[in-house]
Amino acid sequence: MPNIAVWAIFLLPFLSFLIIGLILRPFFNNRPMLSAYTTIIAIAGSLILSIWALIAVNGAENHVLTDVSYQWLSIGDLVINIGITMDSLAAIMVVTVSTISLLVQIYSIGYMKGDGGFARYFAFMSLFTGSMLGLVMANNLLFLFLFWEGVGLCSYLLIGFWFHKPSAARAAMKAFLVTRIGDFGFLVAVIFLYVKTGTFDIGELHELALAGVLGGTTLTLAAIGIFSGAVGKSGQFPLHTWLPDAMEGPTPVSALIHAATMVTAGVYLIARMFPMIASSETAITVVAIIGGFTAIFAASMGLVATDIKRVLAFSTISQLGYMMLGMGAVGMGYASGAIDEHHAMALGVAVAIFHLFTHAFFKALLFLGSGSVSHATGTFDMRKMGGLRKIQPWTYATFLIGSLSLAGIWPLAGFWSKEGILHEANAYAPVLFWLAMITVFMTAFYMFRAVFLTFHGEYRGGEEGSHGHGLHESPKIIIIPLVILAVFAVIAGWLPVGDFLGADVHFSFFGALTSWLAWVSLIFGFAGILLAYAIYGRKLLSAESIGKSLGPIYTLLIRKYFIDELYERIFLMRFLVDGVFVVLGWIDAHIVDGAVNGVAMVTMTGGKVMRRLETGQLQVYGLAIFVGILAIVAFLFMFN
Amino acid sequence: MAVGLEHFLVLSAVLFAIGLYGVLAKRNAVVILMSIEIMLTAVNIAMVAFSRYGQFITGQVFVIFIMVVAAAEVAVGLALIIAIYRSKKTVDSEKFDLMKW
Amino acid sequence: MEFPYLSAIIFLPVIGAIIIALLPGANPRRIKLTAALFTAVSFALSLALFAMFDRSIDGPQFVEQFSWIPAFNVQYFLGVDGLSLPLVLLTTFIGFLAVLISWKVDLRIKEYFAWLLLLEMGILGVFCSLDLILFFIFWEVELIPMYMLISIWGTGRKEYSAIKFVLYTLFGSAFMLAGILLLYLQAGTFDMIVLAGMGLDSILSSMMAGGIFFLIIVAYAIKLPIVPFHTWLPDAHTDAPTAVSVVLAGVLLKMGGYGMIRVSVSIFPETAERYALLFVVIAVIGVIYGAALTLRQTDLKKLIAYSSVSHMGFVLLGIFALSEVSMTGAVLQMVSHGVITGLLFAMVGLVYYKTHERSIPRLGGLVRQMPVIAVVFSIAGFAALGLPGTSGFAAEAITFVGSYGSTIVSGIEIYTILAITGVVFSAGYILWMLRRVFYGPPWDEYNGVPDADRLEKVYIFAFVAVIMLIGLYPVIFTNVIKMGIQPIVGMING
Amino acid sequence: MDLYLLSPEISLLATALAVILLDLFVKEKWILGWVSVTGVIVSAIFALSLWGRVETSFGGALAVDQFSIFFSLLFLGIAALILISSTEYSRKFAAFRAEYYALVLLATTGMMLLASTRELISIFVALELTGISLYVLAGFLKDAKSSEAGLKYLLLGAVASAVLLYGMALVYGLTGTTYLDEIAAAISSQGILGSPALLMGIVLLVAGFGFKIAAVPFQMWVPDVYEGAPTPVTAYLSVASKAAGFAVILRIFYEALGPASLDWGMIFAVLAAITMTIGNIVALTQKNIKRMLAYSSIAQAGYIMIGLAAFTAEASSAIMFFLACYALTNLGAFIAIIAISNKINSDEIADYSGMVRRAPLFALALALCLISLTGIPPTAGFMAKIYIFSAGVNADLLWLVIIAVINSVISAYYYLRVVRVMFLGEPLSEERVHASSGLRIALAITCLGVLLLGIYPWILMKYSEIAAITFLP
Amino acid sequence: MGMDIAFWILAVVSVASALAVVLTRDLFRAALFLVLCFFTVAGIYATLSADFLAGAQVLIYVGAIGVFIIFAIMLTRDSRQGSPSGRLRLPALFIGFLFLATMIFALVNTDWNVVAEVPTESTTSAIAHAIFSEDGFVLAFEIAAALMLAAIIGAIVLVRDK
């Protein structure tokens, strides 16, 4: 496969962006469909090239197809290259990204129909896809950072797509700012690593880390810095607050960016840097703990959320935590010496990316399904839904498949990838394993809570469908991507992703059921489903009374542990805006500038006083002459 | 103690100081002018004393020129006083404060 | 003798100003076209210079050197090297765009354009002079046009701001003059090239070298500006007319950074090294303090003005990290900030021109009425907050890498990290501002407010193009800049 | 005794007499002004013809060297400009125009002699010749303000003369001679150095001359006299009289009291600092433009005194150059003020509001001159300041130069305030301000000079350098 | 010895009359005391062997200046005012004393280069020679002529009505 074709994978969507932005939008704004077609053609091209690359990688030596760098800039001892690598990790990612992106674009044609910003939407989507593809192909941290920020920008633009909604504008800003806090750490780490090692090249960094040249505190700090970038982008605790709010964006955006791809960039980053990060025991332990904690923490908030997209958002955060946990666990195993280097490096990446891979499909499916529901009901509030099973059978069926997959029910995709993570966690991080188990239960519960609330029971009103013609099933252009995704949500787990990534994992289709772990997790999963059924399906238990009896906990969950309040009200508004900034402002106006104006005033006052000496009395003037003479004499007297 | 250079110099200083006092303390412009003349005369005494005790004739020459200049100054000064008297009807120096500050 | 390119570039605007002043009648169009023509030619010439510049040799090129005032050995000595050439280019570029930005000025047009062109001349002269006295003269020449431009065509407390600007600058240059003269007493020449080659640090006592160094640097500190000498800046920027704000933020501030490198660091590398810690700390304070103050501004122009304080902190950091990379980054940051902030001020000017409102709380939802302006404003904003792909990121990243890796000051890693937090702050204020001004539901009172017209689009897109160009391919400039920086850094290490 | 050496002075004196006599015969009084100007030009030609000669005459009392010719030409130039620009203003003097011209010429003669005499008696008499002429000129309008100005000037001037004479008497008493070179020789050879009488003599001389150059605290007459005197006279006072003061100080202190420079150098340094600071600070608060320029001239004297304190050849060259630049600049400013006040009959700064629209060229010229006074390039004032500051730094007076540069900053405020009023204010009336061609010519000369010296100062500086070298020991 | 006595008498009288000039409130008396003071100074010149100057003093000061002043007093007579002291009386006294003390300190503490013997010849011819000889003070004389011209013109301008 020629290099140019590899480059084209991410350049095609950029080209599409430029065509829409510079030609279609300004000159053909009355033909919005052109933008959609351009985008879809470009992404389809990327997909084809991606698949080609995947196949080529599979056949290549060491599973590396390309790894090229070009010098971009050189000043003194600073040399910055740009370059891409196409190895198995990148290949899996490009295929995932372009597949889902393509499906989402097709879905969007239906979903975004008639929106004033149709062309803009597709332009941004192209830009996003290009950046995301570039991100996964970059072989150099600085180049990666370029795309990293690029996807952040797209996220900002797309969350705030409906900018006239103040909440959307706000959420967009929040998303960008919160992730930027993480990026700050990332950028510092990149610079730090460069200064210590003299390279931005990821491969070289790995070699240095594995050879022990790069180690100790240096490595730990760098690894934690990089991880902080991942925390921000993947919505891990404590930088998770932006992701639920990001649901203000159009649903396909949520599906693509805030579920399947961009938010997984953090996981991808850790995977990409895994050999380096895993070389630091402290760092990888931090990854594991943050991941495990986030998984259960986010899931707990998902239990009570009433907005279907928010439920999915919390779920996304939780699942991303899972992936982190998986890598962390393997890394801890490596650090403790339980796994040898060669195996560990592949295994850590494999468990996380496998889950990333399956998750991308079923989570995109779920989001798009929620979009389909909202297409009919005009709302995302589950309290206003119900009984849609009959009206939207296709949506219901696909949504159910997605939910089961997410809940990790055998033999759907989610089961396999989750099992991989749980397996490693059990082996190397037992405490976190039990947290993860509880999360499995919670996941099953909140997903089926959503299913029951949305599709079962009676329709509880809500507004009329957003398109004004009653409740109805969505058009084909929406349903077809759902169905395709549903298929993937079933079969994605059967694909040998782990093997492809070089990990020695063998789950046979039925053999998986022989392990006790699988059964425990299935029991937890079914328990969750049953509880949801009991409360929301059969209404054996009253949700309200449970909520009341657990009053404080319920409040805590529904208010998201008050973390938004802590950040925004207390830290940002109270401490910074009303506190520090006011003080600084006062200092600036009264002390720094006050000194300047004060000097001017003193001078002026001096002038006003001095001029009073000029009385107009000639004898005063005469006196001054002699006072002057005497003063000079006195001065000379002192001087000598 | 025989009278010597110092005596004359001190005399000149005393006269100069008296003139100075007059210049600063008297309100009538004419008296101020008179006091200035006393100061100039005091300088003249010092000049002549130096001339006498240093055996240089230059001092006396200087005094002649000072006298001439003093006369000219008095002439112009009195003319100015008369001019100002015409417009202000007073020669009180404390009233000359049209311009100040 | 070859064609005196530099003199031509510097004095073309003056000729333009004189012609404008002498043009009979007050045909606004003719005046504006004349101004545009002369600045455009100057710009074209500097572009040509940029193309002809030999990127393989150190030292000044296109030199013009004559004895001027033999009484104290002052020369008319012009030349550009890698350090000054990008700034010359930036100045002529912004000078030309400033004329376009001023197209809608309708008060005392003749005077306005004459002063604007004279202003450009002063700034260009500063960047081209290689004799300290000549440098100082150009440094001061800019004051009067600036004073006039702010105090006649400005808004708000314009007279206060104008005189504050002048007095503050004069205050700084007063010390610089004393320093320059003291330097002359010690070294016997005003020739910057000779001075830089003398190794004055070791010839003079450290007291004397330090004394001269600080006397001179005060002027640059004020101009850049560094905290706590920055308070003239928000006032001047805020009250100046749009084009002047553009020039002020775009190039005038860079005179400070340029002076620091060209004079302070070049002539006293070891002294600069000795006091590097002080300046690095001030830089960090400036970044954070400036950013914190920016966050509480509610006036669009003031907000951008304060953000300049913060961004100039990066320049200071880069300069006093004293490594080749960091200083190159600092110069690139000057160029980049010039374009970005220039564009930001131009955009604020457009918003203000169309809505007659600059207070952020009284603006909102403008993206509906003025989409082009909103988009370009956003691009400028993202460049300002250092988004990769824009010049802001390229410059800041290079500066940070260089500073972090510098070995001049112990603990510079920490200072650099603290400075990088400024990036988070800048995202805060830029995004907050964009959200308040452009997003949210459209306001009825701004219905019918027009978007950018064709001329406005021309210049804002020109800015955007340059921002993206530098962002994606900074090598165009860094290859030139490093030629100017290498010899200076060579002295520090050697 | 070569009378040709005195030809510039004699021709000027002859012109003065001729003007007085002509007054009796001609009806067209405007002729008188141009006759005077012609006389000045003739005198200047004589002076130029003497350039290059270094000779003494009258037993050493008269020195014709580049120094004296430089100053002579400076005074003549000033006189010419003043005479040209008085043509319109002098209508206010009614029947006394001839006397006015004659007195200006006499005063100029006195100043030229001040720069060329090297003997105390002649210096004193020349000083009084200048002084008396100027006292009369200050009171020339004979209204309340003008007379008051004249009388104050005279009485204080006479006191200062007395002080000066006392100082001269002490120096004479110590050295036994009134010739400057002999005084220097006596001081360095006879152990007079450090005696209380010499110190006292120096102090009294400083005070006496300090009065002429308006050094604080001997400056207090300046604002009142400048305000009250007829505007052309004020202009003349502010440049010529000050320059003459510096010329004679250079002569006496550099030449005669050179050996005692340690004592008086310090005095001048301190006085310079005080003078410029007080001049500038008080100028900040002034509302009358003539009064403001009076304080400004005090401040400028402070800058020039840096050169006195420095006591080097470079410094004296710098003083000369500064005086020339200052003369051009200040004259330009005053000429513009004369032109404007001829029309609006006011010297209040507030009344200059919007002047740029009523008299664009005058306003621009005034602005240029004020910028030059501030010391902002490309003007003569800037070059002058740089030169004198450089001389100061080279003489180890860095502290003084720093005070001076800070003072320049302060001064920018009040100079630019006038510019602001003229350029920004609303005009008080729409009436245009026109002026005679004489004023315009004079203004054009000064402004071009200010710019030319600002851009290429060497054309003058090379002469001031030569002049400085010829007379310094 | 006789000279000494003469000096003391003259000195006391001159100081006393000078004091009277500045202390009296009567203008005419002040003028007369001034004339007396000038007379005694002429005497002092005589004790200093400056006979020509003594004569000149009488002519110029007593004659010309004295008369001038009396004329001026008559022309500007302000009977109610007389010759009062101003507000600055005390500062003037203080400064006058300080100045006097300083001067006397300086004068007395200086080692003057004194030649003791009394000159024998009349000074008149010496003065004439000093002024008019080839390398004498001719220049000053000529300038003085110009000065007189200026003074005359000035006085005329100022005194004549418009």
Side-chain angles (χ1 to χ4, degrees), chain D residues 246 254 268-269 272-273 276 301-311 315 319 388-389 391-393 395 397 400-401 403-405:
Chain D
F246 277 102
Y254 273 42
F268 276 125
M276 61 181 87
Y303 302 139
I304 309 176
M305 284 163 75
I306 297 174
L308 293 182
F311 187 53
I319 291 176
I388 207 147
F389 292 169
V393 171
L397 288 170
L400 186 55
V401 170
I403 293 176
V405 290

mmCIF file of all heavy atoms in Angstrom, chain D residues 246 254 268-269 272-273 276 301-311 315 319 388-389 391-393 395 397 400-401 403-405:
data_model
loop_
_atom_site.group_PDB
_atom_site.id
_atom_site.type_symbol
_atom_site.label_atom_id
_atom_site.label_comp_id
_atom_site.label_asym_id
_atom_site.label_seq_id
_atom_site.Cartn_x
_atom_site.Cartn_y
_atom_site.Cartn_z
ATOM 1 N N PHE D 246 24.879 82.627 29.384
ATOM 2 C CA PHE D 246 25.721 81.430 29.323
ATOM 3 C C PHE D 246 27.057 81.726 28.669
ATOM 4 O O PHE D 246 28.092 81.186 29.073
ATOM 5 C CB PHE D 246 24.987 80.311 28.589
ATOM 6 C CG PHE D 246 24.048 79.564 29.479
ATOM 7 C CD1 PHE D 246 22.690 79.784 29.449
ATOM 8 C CD2 PHE D 246 24.547 78.647 30.397
ATOM 9 C CE1 PHE D 246 21.837 79.103 30.288
ATOM 10 C CE2 PHE D 246 23.703 77.964 31.236
ATOM 11 C CZ PHE D 246 22.350 78.190 31.188
ATOM 12 N N TYR D 254 34.851 79.095 32.842
ATOM 13 C CA TYR D 254 35.767 78.168 32.182
ATOM 14 C C TYR D 254 37.157 78.768 32.085
ATOM 15 O O TYR D 254 38.154 78.089 32.265
ATOM 16 C CB TYR D 254 35.247 77.823 30.777
ATOM 17 C CG TYR D 254 34.287 76.658 30.732
ATOM 18 C CD1 TYR D 254 33.287 76.526 31.692
ATOM 19 C CD2 TYR D 254 34.376 75.686 29.748
ATOM 20 C CE1 TYR D 254 32.397 75.463 31.640
ATOM 21 C CE2 TYR D 254 33.485 74.627 29.695
ATOM 22 C CZ TYR D 254 32.500 74.521 30.637
ATOM 23 O OH TYR D 254 31.628 73.485 30.600
ATOM 24 N N PHE D 268 26.983 74.285 40.268
ATOM 25 C CA PHE D 268 26.143 74.303 39.060
ATOM 26 C C PHE D 268 25.370 73.010 38.899
ATOM 27 O O PHE D 268 24.228 73.003 38.442
ATOM 28 C CB PHE D 268 27.000 74.571 37.814
ATOM 29 C CG PHE D 268 27.259 76.028 37.581
ATOM 30 C CD1 PHE D 268 28.543 76.517 37.458
ATOM 31 C CD2 PHE D 268 26.188 76.910 37.486
ATOM 32 C CE1 PHE D 268 28.771 77.859 37.244
ATOM 33 C CE2 PHE D 268 26.417 78.258 37.264
ATOM 34 C CZ PHE D 268 27.702 78.734 37.154
ATOM 35 N N ALA D 269 25.991 71.904 39.263
ATOM 36 C CA ALA D 269 25.292 70.627 39.130
ATOM 37 C C ALA D 269 24.030 70.625 39.983
ATOM 38 O O ALA D 269 22.937 70.275 39.522
ATOM 39 C CB ALA D 269 26.217 69.484 39.525
ATOM 40 N N ALA D 272 21.531 73.034 38.699
ATOM 41 C CA ALA D 272 20.901 72.529 37.479
ATOM 42 C C ALA D 272 19.749 71.612 37.833
ATOM 43 O O ALA D 272 18.631 71.741 37.310
ATOM 44 C CB ALA D 272 21.933 71.776 36.634
ATOM 45 N N ALA D 273 20.019 70.700 38.758
ATOM 46 C CA ALA D 273 18.974 69.749 39.137
ATOM 47 C C ALA D 273 17.756 70.489 39.692
ATOM 48 O O ALA D 273 16.607 70.231 39.298
ATOM 49 C CB ALA D 273 19.511 68.771 40.169
ATOM 50 N N MET D 276 15.912 72.725 36.824
ATOM 51 C CA MET D 276 15.047 72.051 35.847
ATOM 52 C C MET D 276 13.815 71.463 36.532
ATOM 53 O O MET D 276 12.709 71.514 35.995
ATOM 54 C CB MET D 276 15.837 70.985 35.091
ATOM 55 C CG MET D 276 16.412 69.899 35.937
ATOM 56 S SD MET D 276 17.346 68.717 34.955
ATOM 57 C CE MET D 276 18.961 69.418 34.887
ATOM 58 N N ALA D 301 17.109 76.193 31.048
ATOM 59 C CA ALA D 301 18.367 76.668 31.618
ATOM 60 C C ALA D 301 18.976 75.585 32.492
ATOM 61 O O ALA D 301 20.199 75.384 32.512
ATOM 62 C CB ALA D 301 18.121 77.931 32.427
ATOM 63 N N GLY D 302 18.106 74.877 33.181
ATOM 64 C CA GLY D 302 18.600 73.780 34.013
ATOM 65 C C GLY D 302 19.337 72.748 33.185
ATOM 66 O O GLY D 302 20.420 72.290 33.560
ATOM 67 N N TYR D 303 18.756 72.402 32.020
ATOM 68 C CA TYR D 303 19.444 71.415 31.175
ATOM 69 C C TYR D 303 20.807 71.943 30.741
ATOM 70 O O TYR D 303 21.798 71.222 30.727
ATOM 71 C CB TYR D 303 18.622 71.091 29.922
ATOM 72 C CG TYR D 303 17.231 70.551 30.189
ATOM 73 C CD1 TYR D 303 16.143 70.968 29.436
ATOM 74 C CD2 TYR D 303 17.013 69.611 31.183
ATOM 75 C CE1 TYR D 303 14.875 70.482 29.668
ATOM 76 C CE2 TYR D 303 15.749 69.115 31.424
ATOM 77 C CZ TYR D 303 14.682 69.556 30.664
ATOM 78 O OH TYR D 303 13.435 69.070 30.894
ATOM 79 N N ILE D 304 20.805 73.240 30.352
ATOM 80 C CA ILE D 304 22.073 73.775 29.837
ATOM 81 C C ILE D 304 23.131 73.787 30.937
ATOM 82 O O ILE D 304 24.309 73.579 30.683
ATOM 83 C CB ILE D 304 21.870 75.192 29.267
ATOM 84 C CG1 ILE D 304 20.702 75.194 28.281
ATOM 85 C CG2 ILE D 304 23.128 75.662 28.566
ATOM 86 C CD1 ILE D 304 20.361 76.552 27.739
ATOM 87 N N MET D 305 22.669 73.992 32.161
ATOM 88 C CA MET D 305 23.647 74.070 33.260
ATOM 89 C C MET D 305 24.372 72.748 33.477
ATOM 90 O O MET D 305 25.435 72.724 34.103
ATOM 91 C CB MET D 305 22.952 74.521 34.541
ATOM 92 C CG MET D 305 22.640 76.011 34.529
ATOM 93 S SD MET D 305 21.423 76.429 35.753
ATOM 94 C CE MET D 305 22.423 76.346 37.223
ATOM 95 N N ILE D 306 23.791 71.668 32.976
ATOM 96 C CA ILE D 306 24.535 70.400 33.039
ATOM 97 C C ILE D 306 25.882 70.582 32.359
ATOM 98 O O ILE D 306 26.909 70.112 32.835
ATOM 99 C CB ILE D 306 23.744 69.279 32.331
ATOM 100 C CG1 ILE D 306 22.434 69.028 33.045
ATOM 101 C CG2 ILE D 306 24.569 68.004 32.275
ATOM 102 C CD1 ILE D 306 21.549 68.047 32.303
ATOM 103 N N GLY D 307 25.835 71.306 31.239
ATOM 104 C CA GLY D 307 27.069 71.549 30.503
ATOM 105 C C GLY D 307 28.064 72.365 31.333
ATOM 106 O O GLY D 307 29.260 72.117 31.297
ATOM 107 N N LEU D 308 27.534 73.338 32.094
ATOM 108 C CA LEU D 308 28.431 74.128 32.935
ATOM 109 C C LEU D 308 29.096 73.247 33.973
ATOM 110 O O LEU D 308 30.296 73.343 34.224
ATOM 111 C CB LEU D 308 27.647 75.237 33.637
ATOM 112 C CG LEU D 308 27.083 76.337 32.742
ATOM 113 C CD1 LEU D 308 26.371 77.371 33.592
ATOM 114 C CD2 LEU D 308 28.203 76.991 31.956
ATOM 115 N N ALA D 309 28.268 72.395 34.567
ATOM 116 C CA ALA D 309 28.798 71.543 35.622
ATOM 117 C C ALA D 309 29.848 70.588 35.067
ATOM 118 O O ALA D 309 30.767 70.199 35.773
ATOM 119 C CB ALA D 309 27.669 70.757 36.279
ATOM 120 N N ALA D 310 29.688 70.230 33.784
ATOM 121 C CA ALA D 310 30.576 69.202 33.240
ATOM 122 C C ALA D 310 31.998 69.722 33.046
ATOM 123 O O ALA D 310 32.958 69.014 33.271
ATOM 124 C CB ALA D 310 30.026 68.694 31.915
ATOM 125 N N PHE D 311 32.139 70.999 32.622
ATOM 126 C CA PHE D 311 33.456 71.604 32.452
ATOM 127 C C PHE D 311 34.377 70.790 31.557
ATOM 128 O O PHE D 311 35.444 70.340 31.955
ATOM 129 C CB PHE D 311 34.117 71.830 33.826
ATOM 130 C CG PHE D 311 35.402 72.608 33.734
ATOM 131 C CD1 PHE D 311 35.435 73.826 33.081
ATOM 132 C CD2 PHE D 311 36.570 72.120 34.291
ATOM 133 C CE1 PHE D 311 36.616 74.548 32.993
ATOM 134 C CE2 PHE D 311 37.751 72.828 34.198
ATOM 135 C CZ PHE D 311 37.771 74.047 33.550
ATOM 136 N N ALA D 315 31.392 69.737 26.597
ATOM 137 C CA ALA D 315 30.255 70.351 27.260
ATOM 138 C C ALA D 315 30.031 71.760 26.755
ATOM 139 O O ALA D 315 28.893 72.179 26.523
ATOM 140 C CB ALA D 315 30.471 70.357 28.770
ATOM 141 N N ILE D 319 26.789 73.172 25.031
ATOM 142 C CA ILE D 319 26.027 74.334 25.479
ATOM 143 C C ILE D 319 25.728 75.244 24.295
ATOM 144 O O ILE D 319 24.601 75.712 24.107
ATOM 145 C CB ILE D 319 26.809 75.110 26.569
ATOM 146 C CG1 ILE D 319 26.865 74.284 27.843
ATOM 147 C CG2 ILE D 319 26.167 76.461 26.828
ATOM 148 C CD1 ILE D 319 27.690 74.912 28.934
ATOM 149 N N ILE D 388 23.941 67.423 25.054
ATOM 150 C CA ILE D 388 24.348 67.933 26.363
ATOM 151 C C ILE D 388 24.293 66.815 27.410
ATOM 152 O O ILE D 388 25.126 66.750 28.308
ATOM 153 C CB ILE D 388 23.506 69.160 26.770
ATOM 154 C CG1 ILE D 388 24.316 70.034 27.718
ATOM 155 C CG2 ILE D 388 22.193 68.768 27.426
ATOM 156 C CD1 ILE D 388 24.043 71.472 27.578
ATOM 157 N N PHE D 389 23.348 65.912 27.272
ATOM 158 C CA PHE D 389 23.305 64.790 28.210
ATOM 159 C C PHE D 389 24.535 63.908 28.030
ATOM 160 O O PHE D 389 25.111 63.412 29.001
ATOM 161 C CB PHE D 389 22.039 63.952 28.006
ATOM 162 C CG PHE D 389 20.773 64.667 28.391
ATOM 163 C CD1 PHE D 389 19.536 64.151 28.053
ATOM 164 C CD2 PHE D 389 20.818 65.844 29.113
ATOM 165 C CE1 PHE D 389 18.372 64.800 28.413
ATOM 166 C CE2 PHE D 389 19.659 66.508 29.473
ATOM 167 C CZ PHE D 389 18.432 65.982 29.113
ATOM 168 N N ALA D 391 27.410 64.895 27.021
ATOM 169 C CA ALA D 391 28.529 65.583 27.658
ATOM 170 C C ALA D 391 28.465 65.384 29.166
ATOM 171 O O ALA D 391 29.482 65.181 29.833
ATOM 172 C CB ALA D 391 28.494 67.061 27.306
ATOM 173 N N GLY D 392 27.241 65.436 29.710
ATOM 174 C CA GLY D 392 27.079 65.253 31.150
ATOM 175 C C GLY D 392 27.538 63.870 31.579
ATOM 176 O O GLY D 392 28.299 63.723 32.546
ATOM 177 N N VAL D 393 27.101 62.871 30.856
ATOM 178 C CA VAL D 393 27.481 61.502 31.221
ATOM 179 C C VAL D 393 28.987 61.338 31.116
ATOM 180 O O VAL D 393 29.632 60.739 31.988
ATOM 181 C CB VAL D 393 26.755 60.488 30.317
ATOM 182 C CG1 VAL D 393 27.317 59.101 30.544
ATOM 183 C CG2 VAL D 393 25.273 60.498 30.598
ATOM 184 N N ALA D 395 31.122 63.404 31.714
ATOM 185 C CA ALA D 395 31.800 64.085 32.806
ATOM 186 C C ALA D 395 31.384 63.475 34.141
ATOM 187 O O ALA D 395 31.429 64.141 35.179
ATOM 188 C CB ALA D 395 31.488 65.579 32.764
ATOM 189 N N LEU D 397 28.472 62.775 35.319
ATOM 190 C CA LEU D 397 27.308 63.391 35.962
ATOM 191 C C LEU D 397 26.055 62.574 35.642
ATOM 192 O O LEU D 397 24.991 63.119 35.367
ATOM 193 C CB LEU D 397 27.129 64.822 35.464
ATOM 194 C CG LEU D 397 28.172 65.801 35.976
ATOM 195 C CD1 LEU D 397 28.056 67.125 35.248
ATOM 196 C CD2 LEU D 397 28.000 66.024 37.467
ATOM 197 N N LEU D 400 22.875 63.458 37.431
ATOM 198 C CA LEU D 400 22.239 64.690 36.977
ATOM 199 C C LEU D 400 21.493 64.446 35.667
ATOM 200 O O LEU D 400 20.378 64.938 35.458
ATOM 201 C CB LEU D 400 23.317 65.757 36.800
ATOM 202 C CG LEU D 400 22.836 67.157 36.467
ATOM 203 C CD1 LEU D 400 21.830 67.622 37.503
ATOM 204 C CD2 LEU D 400 24.007 68.109 36.425
ATOM 205 N N VAL D 401 22.105 63.648 34.803
ATOM 206 C CA VAL D 401 21.456 63.366 33.521
ATOM 207 C C VAL D 401 20.169 62.583 33.744
ATOM 208 O O VAL D 401 19.163 62.814 33.078
ATOM 209 C CB VAL D 401 22.424 62.597 32.598
ATOM 210 C CG1 VAL D 401 21.701 62.090 31.366
ATOM 211 C CG2 VAL D 401 23.566 63.509 32.191
ATOM 212 N N ILE D 403 18.247 62.784 36.359
ATOM 213 C CA ILE D 403 17.250 63.769 36.797
ATOM 214 C C ILE D 403 16.733 64.547 35.597
ATOM 215 O O ILE D 403 15.532 64.802 35.450
ATOM 216 C CB ILE D 403 17.864 64.717 37.844
ATOM 217 C CG1 ILE D 403 18.164 63.943 39.119
ATOM 218 C CG2 ILE D 403 16.933 65.888 38.129
ATOM 219 C CD1 ILE D 403 18.858 64.760 40.170
ATOM 220 N N ALA D 404 17.653 64.880 34.710
ATOM 221 C CA ALA D 404 17.257 65.678 33.551
ATOM 222 C C ALA D 404 16.307 64.913 32.634
ATOM 223 O O ALA D 404 15.326 65.470 32.147
ATOM 224 C CB ALA D 404 18.501 66.107 32.773
ATOM 225 N N VAL D 405 16.605 63.652 32.407
ATOM 226 C CA VAL D 405 15.734 62.919 31.478
ATOM 227 C C VAL D 405 14.350 62.715 32.101
ATOM 228 O O VAL D 405 13.339 62.774 31.409
ATOM 229 C CB VAL D 405 16.357 61.576 31.031
ATOM 230 C CG1 VAL D 405 17.525 61.817 30.128
ATOM 231 C CG2 VAL D 405 16.729 60.703 32.191
#
